[in-house]
Amino acid sequence: MKTMGNASKSPFQGFLEVLPPVEFACVYGSSLHPNNHDKTTMTDFILGVSDPKQWHSENLRLNKNHYASWMVHLGGGKLITNVADRVGVGVHFNPFVTWNGKMYKYGVVRMFDLINDVLQWDKFYLCGRLQKPVHIVVDNLDINSCNAVNLRAALSTALLLLPSEFSEADLYAKVCSLSYMGDLRMLFAEDKNKVKKIVAGQFDLFHSMYQPFLEECEAKKLLRLSSTANHQTVVSQDRDLSVVHSLVSALPRPIRSSINMKQEKKLGGTGKIVNDIAISSREQAANCLERILRRKVMVSSARQAISGLLAVGGVNATKYLAKKVNKAWKSWI
């Protein structure tokens, strides 16, 4: 299985052939778990399109049964797109789509919004999906390359939030948890062990995604990698301010500017005046960053939850929520 690599022919492409053409498509979630043999598992897609209104209008002609009936009759493609943009965070999901004996869910997003979230962490919604293993099926605009910025920033964030020494599994768990910080669903509609299960089930995929960036950090002397007697990787990191500065510098510009820190102007090597982030402590940077991301996730998850309930209609909303709550309840007992 290829993850965040070159797009190639895969079994997932068959489903895409019943939909209008897309610019980007990836599969994410539990269906990528190497040991998941549950045939009832829903396969989750993110689809990037240039014009959602036009795409949904075409898809309504091809697959009207994928949508809630009230959306089909009251507004069509325009209504579907408006609900996604104005209520949600720009993504419309169609769950419980049956094709060829399997269940699918697909979320449709404007390519501009997808790229903006990946590079700028604007909503911190889809970028969180792409910080975890995915299988790329279509990538006409090379989102894979753009996502390197997202992965590097996610790794830097996790390092800022972790102690001086930790395991490779701890690192991936922290990366994985970023998109769940503040997510209201984690209170009642998600498995409390979700992060642990994701990392355990996809450890090798996480390793292949983040190993190049770990080696990059090691080359910059931001951290050290060592092996234990049972061949597990241990990460040790310096906690001085120069390392913190390097990690903060890898974050998207809007996140850096949101961190409540004084910025000093100084003369760079080229003789030009550049902004230099003056950080008083690692704890200050970590706490501020965590507050920023927690708020973003809380707002985005709440908006998308409301948008999702509207998008799927009453029956499917009840069905989907019941499935989530049941899974969450089992993890607590």
Side-chain angles (χ1 to χ4, degrees):
M1 179 179 293
K2 296 185 178 182
T3 62
M4 288 316 294
N6 295 327
S8 59
K9 275 284 184 184
S10 77
F12 299 117
Q13 284 184 310
F15 175 68
L16 295 182
E17 290 175 0
V18 306
L19 304 174
V22 298
E23 296 292 330
F24 174 79
C26 72
V27 178
Y28 68 95
S30 58
S31 60
L32 293 180
H33 194 305
N35 298 319
N36 186 358
H37 305 298
D38 184 0
K39 294 183 179 180
T40 65
T41 299
M42 191 152 47
T43 299
D44 299 315
F45 275 93
I46 291 295
L47 308 179
V49 303
S50 57
D51 184 342
K53 180 184 172 184
Q54 181 180 335
W55 192 92
H56 286 300
S57 297
E58 176 64 20
N59 197 35
L60 282 167
R61 287 194 288 273
L62 297 173
N63 303 292
K64 185 168 66 173
N65 60 317
H66 290 186
Y67 296 85
S69 58
W70 78 273
M71 284 192 150
V72 174
H73 298 303
L74 294 183
K78 183 178 180 180
L79 174 63
I80 293 164
T81 305
N82 283 343
V83 169
D85 288 343
R86 298 177 186 178
V87 180
V89 292
V91 189
H92 171 87
F93 282 99
N94 282 335
F96 302 114
V97 174
T98 303
W99 179 80
N100 207 21
K102 291 199 66 176
M103 195 83 76
Y104 293 85
K105 178 179 76 174
Y106 60 92
V108 181
V109 62
R110 187 178 291 101
M111 283 303 298
F112 176 86
D113 295 337
L114 172 62
I115 293 170
N116 200 37
D117 206 35
V118 166
L119 296 180
Q120 305 294 334
W121 288 6
D122 181 41
K123 301 290 195 300
F124 207 79
Y125 186 73
L126 294 177
C127 66
R129 296 283 192 277
L130 296 180
Q131 288 164 3
K132 296 181 274 292
V134 299
H135 180 97
I136 293 181
V137 187
V138 178
D139 193 10
N140 295 342
L141 299 183
D142 201 11
I143 297 300
N144 189 21
S145 294
C146 292
N147 200 50
V149 175
N150 183 31
L151 298 183
R152 187 178 287 109
L155 178 63
S156 296
T157 299
L159 290 173
L160 280 167
L161 300 178
L162 285 165
S164 300
E165 188 172 293
F166 47 89
S167 70
E168 189 177 4
D170 291 335
L171 174 64
Y172 301 149
K174 182 59 70 176
V175 167
C176 185
S177 71
L178 298 179
S179 58
Y180 298 121
M181 293 192 306
D183 190 333
L184 300 176
R185 297 172 304 167
M186 296 302 290
L187 298 176
F188 67 94
E190 289 290 358
D191 186 341
K192 69 171 184 175
N193 301 311
K194 183 169 186 171
V195 169
K196 188 184 298 184
K197 289 179 179 178
I198 291 173
V199 173
Q202 304 182 20
F203 183 88
D204 290 342
L205 299 180
F206 273 102
H207 177 82
S208 64
M209 286 176 70
Y210 285 98
Q211 187 64 21
F213 302 103
L214 276 171
E215 292 173 353
E216 181 182 284
C217 288
E218 187 176 36
K220 293 178 179 178
K221 302 189 184 303
L222 302 179
L223 53 79
R224 294 173 300 282
L225 302 175
S226 57
S227 296
T228 62
N230 56 354
H231 306 294
Q232 291 186 338
T233 299
V234 174
V235 184
S236 306
Q237 60 174 334
D238 294 322
R239 297 180 67 82
D240 59 73
L241 289 181
S242 63
V243 172
V244 177
H245 182 278
S246 294
L247 295 176
V248 170
S249 297
L251 303 178
R253 185 181 296 276
I255 301 298
R256 294 200 310 266
S257 65
S258 295
I259 294 178
N260 187 24
M261 298 175 184
K262 182 177 66 176
Q263 293 203 352
E264 299 175 339
K265 292 186 180 294
K266 69 176 186 179
L267 218 56
T270 60
K272 295 180 180 179
I273 293 178
V274 296
N275 286 322
D276 184 44
I277 301 173
I279 300 171
S280 63
S281 72
R282 185 186 185 96
E283 289 69 26
Q284 177 200 17
N287 291 338
C288 191
L289 177 56
E290 187 170 356
R291 283 197 304 271
I292 292 167
L293 295 185
R294 190 176 294 277
R295 176 170 176 75
K296 277 184 173 288
V297 173
M298 185 180 296
V299 172
S300 292
S301 65
R303 289 181 58 182
Q304 191 58 39
I306 296 168
S307 172
L309 292 175
L310 291 172
V312 300
V315 175
N316 276 338
T318 304
K319 182 180 176 183
Y320 186 70
L321 190 59
K323 185 177 179 181
K324 284 283 188 180
V325 171
N326 183 53
K327 186 185 292 186
W329 176 249
K330 286 179 179 178
S331 74
W332 285 96
I333 58 176

